[in-house]
Amino acid sequence: MFSYRHAFHAGSHADILKHLILIHLVEYLQEKPGALTMVDTHAGAGIYSLIDGFATVSKEADEGIFRLQKFAESHPLSPGIANYLEYIQAENGEDQTTVYPGSPFILARLLRPQDRLKLFELHPKEIDILRHNISELKQAKQIDIYAEDSFARLKGLVPPPSRRGLVLIDPSYEDKQDYRYLETAMEEALHRFATGCYAIWYPVLSRREAAALPDRMKKIAATHKRSWLQAELRIENAPKERRLQASGIFIINPPWTLEKQLAESLPILVKALGQDSNAGFVLKSFEA
Ligand code: SAM
């Protein structure tokens, strides 16, 4: 059933948007010393080679992380983008980028001794690679890995004992039912843990379920009287091409600092990664 492998998309524009925001969310939540539990519901393999394997077939990093790094050599960056690039470089040598860290590695590197990370992955090959990759990290003891369906398991994991939690939901939407599973999982999670911070990645596509996703999330946030923020990055509009041209993140209970950071960072990402005159961004929020 599973054919999606994130290695094809490692370091793409969609990863940049997602991971830039993820780092901001964690760093904000860590301003308080209380233990933080982070759940990555769709983990993937954890870290990806950019010099061999799937990434070299798709070459998405060429128009993503490599393009941003090149841009950074001669343009001013926002503090948020500069910080993100430092996290990517920390996994690599001084001047070469040969690997791209996925959300499990980014989150693992951010763990403080009091924090915990829970990773879910269903793909039979990806889970083995993920386990191996995580076992090499010094933070491995703070990380639990589950080969289980995270949509079904999420409600049982919230609220975390410290009642401070961040949930990243990053499905591949390979299964069209994922849109429906996402809604149910969010309803259940917010019912049990309304104050958690939830970040939901989505593809911006004309397909009905995808186009409806932000509004469905706004409705769920309104039912639970929660604030939200929506950020989208489009790098081009080429209707005949099948590649992903825009993606978004919907955040429930966003930190108050995030909108300002994105107002600075998104125009720079458009300039750095934009492929045609349709490149642009969306930044919307609502305070409950
Ligand atoms: N979050 C990763 C990152 O940012 O580096 C990328 C994850 S990738 C978009 C989605 C992953 O979710 C795939 O590896 C897929 O096998 C896995 N997956 C799909 N459905 C799942 C489910 N119900 N529970 C857990 N993992 C699932």
Side-chain angles (χ1 to χ4, degrees):
M1 174 189 145
F2 290 103
S3 59
Y4 182 93
R5 306 294 296 268
H6 194 69
F8 283 107
H9 310 290
S12 65
H13 61 90
D15 265 4
I16 293 174
L17 176 69
K18 173 178 48 184
H19 297 149
L20 173 85
I21 291 176
L22 189 61
I23 292 166
H24 186 96
L25 297 178
V26 179
E27 288 186 341
Y28 175 84
L29 289 165
Q30 289 180 334
E31 283 175 10
K32 289 194 180 147
L36 178 65
T37 297
M38 301 187 271
V39 182
D40 187 348
T41 62
H42 295 72
I47 190 162
Y48 307 93
S49 170
L50 295 177
I51 52 169
D52 51 34
F54 297 146
T56 56
V57 177
S58 63
K59 295 191 166 46
E60 291 193 22
D62 287 1
E63 302 306 331
I65 187 66
F66 291 136
R67 191 167 165 137
L68 181 59
Q69 286 173 327
K70 187 100 198 94
F71 177 90
E73 286 169 11
S74 53
H75 295 83
L77 301 175
S78 65
I81 297 177
N83 190 30
Y84 159 79
L85 286 175
E86 276 175 31
Y87 274 91
I88 305 307
Q89 222 44 56
E91 298 294 343
N92 287 281
E94 274 288 291
D95 26 52
Q96 257 203 41
T97 303
T98 56
V99 293
Y100 186 84
S103 50
F105 261 57
I106 291 176
L107 292 172
R109 297 285 184 199
L110 281 156
L111 284 167
R112 302 167 301 174
Q114 65 270 43
D115 299 333
R116 291 288 173 273
L117 173 58
K118 294 178 184 298
L119 304 174
F120 284 83
E121 177 52 52
L122 265 185
H123 194 292
K125 289 211 176 88
E126 296 291 79
I127 185 79
D128 286 347
I129 305 171
L130 178 67
R131 285 192 203 284
H132 171 78
N133 286 338
I134 293 292
S135 72
E136 310 255 287
L137 293 177
K138 71 175 193 313
Q139 298 90 340
K141 285 202 173 75
Q142 292 169 256
I143 304 173
D144 297 315
I145 304 179
Y146 307 87
E148 294 175 37
D149 175 6
S150 57
F151 285 129
R153 278 297 308 279
L154 183 59
K155 63 176 181 294
L157 291 175
V158 293
S162 64
R163 301 196 71 87
R164 304 192 64 246
L166 167 68
V167 180
L168 170 66
I169 305 183
D170 182 22
S172 47
Y173 301 96
E174 192 185 359
D175 179 352
K176 258 205 328 201
Q177 301 292 342
D178 277 358
Y179 293 95
R180 195 166 54 80
Y181 298 149
L182 166 68
E183 279 182 45
T184 309
M186 280 310 302
E187 281 286 6
E188 291 170 343
L190 281 171
H191 184 69
R192 293 176 58 89
F193 183 38
T195 56
C197 181
Y198 299 86
I200 300 140
W201 181 88
Y202 60 93
V204 177
L205 301 169
S206 51
R207 184 200 294 166
R208 190 170 51 84
E209 297 88 346
L213 187 149
D215 282 348
R216 309 290 295 179
M217 290 300 119
K218 285 173 196 170
K219 223 168 139 194
I220 291 173
T223 308
H224 294 268
K225 300 187 173 56
R226 297 289 106 199
S227 300
W228 55 260
L229 182 146
Q230 177 189 10
E232 290 181 3
L233 174 67
R234 169 170 295 284
I235 62 155
E236 61 178 337
N237 188 12
K240 288 196 182 128
E241 300 292 343
R242 287 197 62 215
R243 57 181 178 261
L244 184 69
Q245 297 164 26
S247 68
I249 311 271
F250 193 89
I251 296 139
I252 295 184
N253 297 319
W256 66 274
T257 48
L258 181 60
E259 189 158 9
K260 180 174 172 286
Q261 201 258 79
L262 288 175
E264 292 165 5
S265 297
L266 286 170
I268 298 174
L269 290 182
V270 170
K271 206 168 153 198
L273 305 177
Q275 305 264 354
D276 66 23
S277 59
N278 295 302
F281 70 88
V282 170
L283 183 57
K284 292 182 188 169
S285 66
F286 171 79
E287 211 167 313

